[in-house]
Amino acid sequence: MTTYPPISEARRFSIAPMMDWTTRDYRVFARTLTRHALLYTEMVTTGAILHGRPRERFLGYDAVEHPLALQLGGSDPGELAECAAIAEEWGYDEVNLNVGCPSDRVQNNLIGACLMGHPDKVATAVRAMRESVSIPVTVKCRIGIDDQDEDADLEHFIQQVADAGCEVFIVHARKAWLQGLSPKENRDVPPLNYPRVHRLKANRPELHIGINGGIKTLEECHAQLEHVDSVMIGREAYQNPWLLAGIDEALYGTPGPATDRHEAARAMRAYIVRRLEEGAKLNHMTRHMLGLFQGCPGGRRFRRHLSENAHREGAGLSVLDDALGLVPEVEPESAA
């Protein structure tokens, strides 16, 4: 039986939940680069879990993905509690409530960042979830929404939800504008405000406060960890996945699973074969690997070959092998 670090230790570094990106195939790929980081699913709505079939489509994962958290989208306490219990039954290590997504679609269903305007609802939901499971229930939120622009607004939200029993908050250090900005603009336009998150931690030392937003390097991770308990990286971990190869040594003090990029890619071969036998398309897996050789000689050819061939009918492992042949192998490298 494979062992993995406890959730409290793994949480030091995590990869953010990202729609269409942090799929089960991406998460297995991430495990070729880091054994210790906490992985998150895409946000899954309560409706999908309660009414969608088969549940494997929404909840399935590979054992290698642990430690693994399920992120839920919803606001009804009963439905969230039921879904949290289902998550625990499926073996997830944590269930996380999304209070950060700014899209119109989720707002219309009272999901995501709009819930920051309803801390009482979030508190009620968290309390119900905690009563239904023994695994941690955590919250991912923003530093504020719309006209909320004071430390007191964030602290008021945190206070109410913490009183309901939540001990872990991952805070995206940008406000969310719920009207007038697209979800993409909400990732870039509102300015980052790391000091607000740092002050929150200073004021609430008993809580686990993690930070998310705009962090791109190991050096920046170390700098943030001087002020908060954990770091979460999103787009950079996806678009420049080799960053993850330095995480285990830098933040957990143990060697990572891959010493070079070719080794990480080859570690995916057995999984890809199995998924192909299950009927998955090759590009379902390889699309997450396109950035592996970013900045390397032959990296563009690798990306182009996969982009042009992995989607073709009958594409198999030879497509990946041919793409790897376009990138010279070099001596083991540092991810830093």
Side-chain angles (χ1 to χ4, degrees), residues 142-261:
R142 295 278 185 138
I143 57 171
I145 56 172
D146 298 334
D147 294 327
Q148 293 179 347
D149 203 22
E150 301 291 339
D151 287 12
D153 294 315
L154 176 60
E155 291 176 5
H156 173 69
F157 173 84
I158 297 294
Q159 179 65 57
Q160 284 200 245
V161 181
D163 285 348
C166 184
E167 299 176 347
V168 178
F169 296 85
I170 301 95
V171 185
H172 187 152
R174 296 184 198 272
K175 287 176 57 176
W177 286 100
L178 302 183
Q179 302 294 330
L181 291 182
S182 68
K184 182 180 185 302
E185 290 170 325
N186 263 296
R187 294 194 297 266
D188 297 299
V189 174
L192 286 161
N193 189 339
Y194 294 140
R196 179 168 294 169
V197 185
H198 299 166
R199 290 191 294 271
L200 173 65
K201 174 59 189 177
N203 292 336
R204 299 302 301 265
E206 78 283 7
L207 298 176
H208 179 110
I209 303 295
I211 198 165
N212 170 230
I215 301 165
K216 295 184 177 182
T217 67
L218 295 178
E219 290 76 15
E220 290 173 5
C221 289
H222 282 296
Q224 290 293 341
L225 288 169
E226 295 180 3
H227 303 280
V228 294
D229 298 298
S230 62
V231 172
M232 173 182 279
I233 293 185
R235 284 172 291 166
E236 190 67 16
Y238 187 91
Q239 295 169 342
N240 179 26
W242 186 246
L243 166 72
L244 300 176
I247 292 297
D248 286 3
E249 184 170 352
L251 300 183
Y252 299 94
T254 62
T259 57
D260 66 72
R261 303 176 201 230

Side-chain angles (χ1 to χ4, degrees), residues 92-106:
Y92 283 90
D93 303 297
E94 172 187 308
V95 60
N96 175 267
L97 180 60
N98 184 321
V99 190
C101 181
S103 80
D104 292 339
R105 180 171 60 85
V106 299

Side-chain angles (χ1 to χ4, degrees), residues 63-108:
V64 74
E65 296 174 42
H66 289 291
L68 177 64
L70 174 70
Q71 187 181 66
L72 287 175
S75 57
D76 181 272
E79 292 180 353
L80 284 166
E82 185 175 354
C83 289
I86 292 169
E88 185 170 38
E89 290 172 5
W90 276 69
Y92 283 90
D93 303 297
E94 172 187 308
V95 60
N96 175 267
L97 180 60
N98 184 321
V99 190
C101 181
S103 80
D104 292 339
R105 180 171 60 85
V106 299
Q107 285 183 55
N108 293 336

